[in-house]
Amino acid sequence: MASFRVVCLFGCLVAVCFAAVQAEPARYDNYRVYRLSIDRMEQLEVLQLIEQFPDGFAFLSDPVHVNTTVKLVVPPHKMAEFVALNEKFSLKAEVAFENLQTVIDRQMKGRREVFGWTAYHPLEDINDWLDTLVAQYPDVVTPIVAGQTYEGRQIRGVKVSYKAGNPAVFTEGTIHAREWISAATVTWVLNQLLTSQEPAVRNIAENYDWYVIPVANPDGYVYTHTTTRLWRKTRSRQNVLCFGADPNRNWDYMFNHVASGSSLDWVKGTLKTPLTFAYELRDTGEYGFLLPPEQIIPTAEETLDSIIVILEEGKAMGYH
């Protein structure tokens, strides 16, 4: 009986703690971001250990391979520990951002009164915009719901179809919650399918049926807007202290094999879909997923150009 009461009390304390954390977004004032070089296996292993047990640290890019660089967020109170770590393992640390909060603040800039692509939008704005498309193009756009999340949100999208009998293209964005550029790119491409007069765009818009999910991880996406900008996973509860699963490493296909568990693996291996692609959007350099809003449209433009080529070449090669 005593043990049961302790567990209940602990659960209540945790609930209060999380409620307090969620009251306002976390700030990262004076958090530094360092670019680290991984030149040998020993360095990779220690960084992967930090990723597994972060204790205040956070990676903006994952330590996966030797002969790569990663970005590590270092809180002010962990600076002495990080300096010692850098010296011990010769990580060649270089400052990428002196103050992480200034980078986040820059990403939040832009006009949001009207839906567009000069700013990043919260989930409710994206869903409202999808409703507008359904009303504006009733003969072409229909709403779809791909499922329901752990926190009860619908995973919403639309189908765009100009005629019967078209082959299908499925596209989803924002599997990882913090990658806001993904939702922005998907919605921009969707808008082009409906409004562009470019012949190449009209060709793919009208000769394929498009199933478009701008935000595949709505719980996590909302959490990045309301609580902590760096959140990557879902918000499913694993145990009393652990929330979230990586939704792009959690698919039931050849799990525990090298490079398995991603959505591409499952689609290719289970559904036998002939063409499957994942995009690593801008940028791989300075900002990573904290991309400033002025880069939304250039990112989306180059993505649409590549989609056109993929579909044209795929058709020429007999895939569809």
Side-chain angles (χ1 to χ4, degrees):
M1 188 68 175
S3 295
F4 180 75
R5 292 179 65 184
V6 169
V7 170
C8 286
L9 177 60
F10 183 66
C12 292
L13 289 174
V14 171
V16 171
C17 176
F18 275 108
V21 169
Q22 293 177 354
E24 60 183 56
R27 291 190 60 84
Y28 297 91
D29 298 290
N30 300 316
Y31 281 57
R32 281 187 176 180
V33 178
Y34 285 90
R35 186 180 295 105
L36 310 178
S37 298
I38 306 176
D39 300 322
R40 59 183 189 274
M41 186 58 66
E42 179 190 34
Q43 295 169 325
L44 177 62
E45 289 173 350
V46 73
L47 292 177
Q48 288 177 334
L49 188 63
I50 293 172
E51 184 181 39
Q52 187 176 2
F53 304 102
D55 191 29
F57 294 110
F59 283 93
L60 300 188
S61 52
D62 299 331
V64 178
H65 303 293
V66 175
N67 298 321
T68 59
T69 61
V70 295
K71 287 181 179 174
L72 180 68
V73 178
V74 180
H77 69 279
K78 302 288 284 187
M79 190 59 63
E81 181 179 337
F82 172 74
V83 170
L85 184 76
N86 181 49
E87 291 178 354
K88 181 176 181 179
F89 293 98
S90 302
L91 295 170
K92 303 177 184 176
E94 298 178 352
V95 176
F97 304 128
E98 285 282 355
N99 187 342
L100 178 58
Q101 189 60 45
T102 61
V103 181
I104 294 174
D105 290 343
R106 180 180 179 186
Q107 198 182 39
M108 298 298 292
K109 291 181 179 179
R111 295 180 58 85
R112 296 190 179 194
E113 290 82 357
V114 178
F115 191 88
W117 294 273
T118 59
Y120 293 102
H121 294 274
L123 182 68
E124 58 267 27
D125 287 3
I126 295 173
N127 287 340
D128 288 347
W129 181 70
L130 294 178
D131 291 337
T132 299
L133 296 183
V134 172
Q136 189 173 356
Y137 303 95
D139 297 329
V140 176
V141 181
T142 53
I144 58 175
V145 176
Q148 184 169 298
T149 69
Y150 178 82
E151 293 183 343
R153 295 181 177 88
Q154 290 184 330
I155 303 173
R156 296 188 54 192
V158 294
K159 175 186 177 182
V160 176
S161 180
Y162 282 88
K163 65 179 188 294
N166 283 336
V169 177
F170 174 81
T171 179
E172 64 180 2
T174 330
I175 296 177
H176 291 144
R178 64 191 187 182
E179 296 168 5
W180 292 1
I181 184 60
S182 181
T185 298
V186 170
T187 53
W188 188 90
V189 170
L190 171 58
N191 187 63
Q192 292 299 300
L193 295 175
L194 295 169
T195 64
S196 175
Q197 297 305 310
E198 291 289 332
V201 178
R202 296 270 31 95
N203 176 54
I204 65 168
E206 297 176 13
N207 291 298
Y208 296 88
D209 286 349
W210 293 82
Y211 296 82
V212 182
I213 308 288
V215 182
N217 178 9
D219 289 352
Y221 187 68
V222 168
Y223 198 72
T224 64
H225 283 265
T226 62
T227 307
T228 175
R229 179 65 189 87
L230 304 186
W231 189 260
R232 170 186 170 99
K233 300 180 180 181
T234 66
R235 292 296 298 161
S236 57
R237 191 165 190 165
Q238 308 303 313
N239 57 52
V240 71
L241 291 177
C242 183
F243 284 80
D246 187 331
N248 201 34
R249 301 292 186 274
N250 206 32
W251 292 74
D252 188 16
Y253 182 76
M254 297 187 70
F255 219 73
N256 293 327
H257 287 67
V258 175
S260 67
S262 77
S263 55
L264 284 186
D265 296 321
W266 186 86
V267 170
K268 188 76 172 179
T270 303
L271 301 182
K272 310 302 180 185
T273 304
L275 291 175
T276 58
F277 289 88
Y279 283 84
E280 293 288 342
L281 301 174
R282 294 189 187 189
D283 68 358
T284 58
E286 183 177 2
Y287 291 101
F289 64 84
L290 295 171
L291 199 65
E294 56 265 27
Q295 292 199 37
I296 293 174
I297 292 177
T299 301
E301 287 175 334
E302 63 196 18
T303 302
L304 179 56
D305 287 345
S306 71
I307 292 172
I308 291 170
V309 172
I310 288 171
L311 292 177
E312 289 177 347
E313 292 299 315
K315 183 176 181 180
M317 297 173 68
Y319 284 110
H320 52 269

